[in-house]
Amino acid sequence: MAGTTATPHPATATAGNFDLPADRRRARLWFAVALTIALAYPFLDRALGFNRIGSFLAIAVFVVLAMGLNIVVGYAGLLDLGYAAFFAIGAYTIGLLTSPSSVFVQKHWVPLWMQNFWAAMAVSWAVAAIFGVLLGAPTLRLRGDYLAIVTLGFGEIVPTFFLNADAITGGTMGINPIAKPPTFYVFGHAVSFGQTDQRNWYYLMLGVILVSLFLVTRLYDSRLGRAWQAVREDEIAASSMGVNLVRTKLWAFALGASFSGFAGSIYSSAFQYVHPSQFEFVVSIMILASVILGGIGNVYGVIIGAILIVSFDRILTDVLTDPLQQLGHLLHSETIASHNLANDRYVVFGLALVLMMLLRPGGLFPSAQRRAEMTPESDDVRVAETQTLYDVRTENEPALGERA
């Protein structure tokens, strides 16, 4: 109408019509702070004498794994308990394509261009995605516990296959060595990826995280991402609205598995060794715990969850063990003096999950949509949701046992 003026939304900045909403500006500010800390950490690590670059490299690998699992569990609502299988597939793919001990390389079945690290990493990404489709195809009609059981079986089959197929995979010997990124020069400075160049590996993994984060956020805002959310909420309603359930689920399994293949290829190349024991069921549980702890459906929360879980597993257990043992000596307790906190990490993980389900079922940083779903709109709704059904009746209505 003429003569009326638009009132700006309170969450919108007032500096101009093209300013971002306040919550988005705040999110970008936090992202810039986190990225600055991540870029500066290798220098701080050396200056402070922490020597934890290798541990943070492992944390970065699990961050990528958690982002991939968040696609399957958080976006599409498909419970996957065998995610470590795709991690193993990606790691073994690059090992079989590039290691001199691989039978495929020895028999010249792999072309030279594919023995390059970058080409082999791309193949690992594609192979993991293909196996994601192969797992998803037979499970399209399964939901909930049944889907979890099938993925759990798949997660147990893959490492066992790599262990028993010793003629191809090396069995208990594993695969070693594995191709590394070739050396390149930046402003005349050589950037190599040897065993002692962990800082370069760290920055490579940080670059992979940023690329993965960009892809995941774009997927969430895409038409496919909205279809995943519709399937997660109600498959029947989504199907009635024209969502292709088969294609949507297969895309979720394929893309989620592809990120795992990404992480597996870099992990095996950085540590120059791949063995079936690295991909046991507990790895899948750690990744799933990271997703639940951080906040299902929120990619930034999932990143924080992975950092917290793996930091405790790889860093805090070592740091806190010495003070605990010293306390045991002071208390003249042989049990405490000889105890290693690394033996309690699964107890801590389980206790953390129990407390999260009781206190914050949406995770530390749940997505806005999931927070709205799990938070009642008013006190009346909260009371109606928490009362037992057999007490819901009018004042003059007789109880069930008193009716004629």
Side-chain angles (χ1 to χ4, degrees), residues 115-269:
Q115 297 180 28
N116 177 271
F117 170 82
W118 301 110
M121 185 175 68
V123 174
S124 300
W125 178 87
V127 170
I130 292 172
F131 274 92
V133 174
L134 294 179
L135 171 63
T139 62
L140 292 176
R141 297 184 179 181
L142 302 178
R143 285 183 291 180
D145 298 340
Y146 301 99
L147 177 61
I149 292 172
V150 171
T151 55
L152 172 62
F154 182 76
E156 292 297 313
I157 289 172
V158 171
T160 304
F161 169 79
F162 287 134
L163 180 63
N164 294 331
D166 51 354
I168 301 175
T169 64
T172 56
M173 299 297 295
I175 298 179
N176 173 269
I178 300 171
K180 298 173 290 186
T183 302
F184 61 93
Y185 293 87
V186 177
F187 302 111
H189 176 70
V191 179
S192 59
F193 294 88
Q195 289 293 97
T196 59
D197 301 315
Q198 292 186 340
R199 183 191 301 178
N200 297 335
W201 282 108
Y202 172 84
Y203 282 121
L204 173 62
M205 201 65 223
L206 183 60
V208 171
I209 290 176
L210 294 177
V211 172
S212 302
L213 181 60
F214 174 79
L215 295 176
V216 170
T217 52
R218 297 285 77 77
L219 283 171
Y220 184 76
D221 296 330
S222 67
R223 182 177 180 180
L224 178 60
R226 293 192 295 271
W228 284 336
Q229 298 172 59
V231 171
R232 182 192 67 197
E233 299 302 325
D234 193 325
E235 288 190 12
I236 298 177
S239 178
S240 64
M241 295 300 293
V243 175
N244 189 322
L245 297 181
V246 174
R247 184 172 59 190
T248 302
K249 289 184 177 182
L250 289 181
W251 270 113
F253 276 110
L255 291 175
S258 65
F259 283 93
S260 187
F262 237 159
S265 60
I266 298 180
Y267 179 83
S268 59
S269 181

Side-chain angles (χ1 to χ4, degrees), residues 56-80:
F56 274 88
L57 177 60
I59 293 172
V61 170
F62 273 85
V63 166
V64 177
L65 291 170
M67 284 194 289
L69 184 60
N70 187 52
I71 293 177
V72 183
V73 178
Y75 291 173
L78 305 172
L79 184 57
D80 189 350

